[in-house]
Amino acid sequence: MEKIKFMSEEMHEEVEFFVLEQTMVNGVSYILVTDSEDDDAECLILKDTSAAQSAESIYEIVEDDVELTAISKVFEELLEDVEIER
């Protein structure tokens, strides 16, 4: 599994996640990440909010319930053996 590092602005430290899947919906890139490789690990859906020409991606946690539900369903279809609890 690919690992990705993020800089947390709130905690001012680097945080590592495992990338489970990536998708694009309506021109917006989303990634499904987890902090552990265990089967029952907690996951987050992150949304790329950076400008299209930006060299670095800026990801934010998807918090909008409607958006979260829709993107969760997309990831569940992509990862047939995964069920995302909301």
Side-chain angles (χ1 to χ4, degrees):
M1 216 178 302
E2 178 186 354
K3 242 184 182 179
I4 191 167
K5 294 180 182 182
F6 291 93
M7 179 57 76
S8 170
E9 290 182 3
E10 290 116 21
M11 297 184 289
H12 302 289
E13 66 182 60
E14 199 170 73
V15 181
E16 288 187 341
F17 289 107
F18 295 96
V19 178
L20 299 174
E21 186 63 76
Q22 180 176 2
T23 192
M24 188 162 288
V25 176
N26 295 330
V28 178
S29 179
Y30 294 90
I31 56 175
L32 178 64
V33 299
T34 184
D35 59 353
S36 169
E37 291 185 284
D38 295 336
D39 288 341
D40 291 334
E42 294 199 18
C43 64
L44 296 170
I45 295 177
L46 304 177
K47 175 182 182 175
D48 186 352
T49 60
S50 61
Q53 298 80 13
S54 179
E56 290 188 15
S57 295
I58 299 172
Y59 284 95
E60 295 181 6
I61 298 171
V62 175
E63 295 181 8
D64 177 75
D65 287 338
V66 174
E67 182 180 19
L68 186 60
T69 299
I71 302 302
S72 294
K73 289 178 182 178
V74 171
F75 281 124
E76 286 176 340
E77 288 179 24
L78 291 171
L79 301 165
E80 296 171 356
D81 60 339
V82 172
E83 181 179 333
I84 300 173
E85 293 181 19
R86 296 162 202 67

